[in-house]
Amino acid sequence: MVITTNSCTFSEYRIYPGRGIKFVSRDCKVHYFISRKCTQLAQRKIKPVKLNWTQAWRRYFQKTKAHQIAKKRVKRKQKIQKAIEGVTLETIEKMKQPDEKLKIRDQASKEIKERQRKLQEARRKAKANVEPKKGAAKAQVVKNVKGSKKK
């Protein structure tokens, strides 16, 4: 079942059957208003764009889109390598690969990091061996505390 609705000439809301006011002006134009509020504002010739609850205001300040626009799909650029004048594709690919000097630097930095890690582990072991001796000395010291029982 299809319900015929009219739109309010002031607020542009839908008016369902049995609702609203139908007003015919002197120039024989038919106006539909959803409420007395809309009729009074229209009679006072107040612009609906200036009232932020109307659809005209929402359209004017771009709060809602008048009609939904489908998003355009953007074609992504495909990367294509072309040979430059005097240089072939093979030489360009070789330039992209890391040089032997870089490989040697990486190996040297890895070796240095391994040495530092071994030194840190050795220091930790040395500290671990020293700490129990200090703890044992503390256990032998007897402190005088109030309320302690004498043996």
Side-chain angles (χ1 to χ4, degrees):
M1 182 161 106
V2 179
I3 299 173
T4 56
T5 59
N6 297 320
S7 64
C8 178
T9 54
F10 188 80
S11 64
E12 299 176 23
Y13 290 136
R14 282 188 196 160
I15 302 173
Y16 289 94
R19 302 282 174 178
I21 301 162
K22 186 177 186 180
F23 175 75
V24 182
S25 59
R26 287 183 184 171
D27 57 349
C28 297
K29 287 186 180 177
V30 179
H31 301 282
Y32 294 98
F33 298 109
I34 196 164
S35 63
R36 279 190 65 165
K37 178 182 179 181
C38 292
T39 56
Q40 289 172 356
L41 290 168
Q43 285 172 358
R44 285 193 275 164
K45 297 182 180 179
I46 292 174
K47 294 179 182 177
V49 175
K50 293 188 177 183
L51 300 169
N52 61 0
W53 56 271
T54 60
Q55 292 297 319
W57 182 89
R58 295 185 67 78
R59 197 180 320 104
Y60 184 77
F61 289 101
Q62 299 175 354
K63 302 297 179 184
T64 56
K65 294 181 181 178
H67 49 272
Q68 294 176 349
I69 301 168
K71 289 186 178 180
K72 294 179 182 177
R73 290 190 180 181
V74 180
K75 290 183 180 178
R76 294 189 180 185
K77 295 179 181 178
Q78 295 178 349
K79 293 182 180 179
I80 300 171
Q81 288 186 345
K82 295 181 180 179
I84 304 169
E85 187 175 328
V87 182
T88 61
L89 279 172
E90 295 172 4
T91 54
I92 293 171
E93 288 176 9
K94 286 180 184 177
M95 288 178 187
K96 286 184 179 179
Q97 294 175 352
D99 295 330
E100 291 180 20
K101 290 180 182 179
L102 291 173
K103 290 179 183 177
I104 294 168
R105 276 188 207 155
D106 291 338
Q107 285 180 342
S109 63
K110 285 180 184 178
E111 289 175 5
I112 291 168
K113 287 179 183 178
E114 286 179 28
R115 285 185 212 152
Q116 289 176 349
R117 193 180 327 120
K118 287 179 183 177
L119 285 170
Q120 286 178 352
E121 289 176 5
R123 288 177 187 162
R124 286 181 191 156
K125 287 179 183 178
K127 282 186 178 181
N129 292 337
V130 173
E131 285 180 12
K133 292 178 183 176
K134 289 181 181 177
K138 286 182 181 177
Q140 292 174 356
V141 176
V142 178
K143 294 182 179 178
N144 292 332
V145 182
K146 288 184 178 180
S148 62
K149 295 181 181 179
K150 294 182 180 179
K151 292 183 182 178

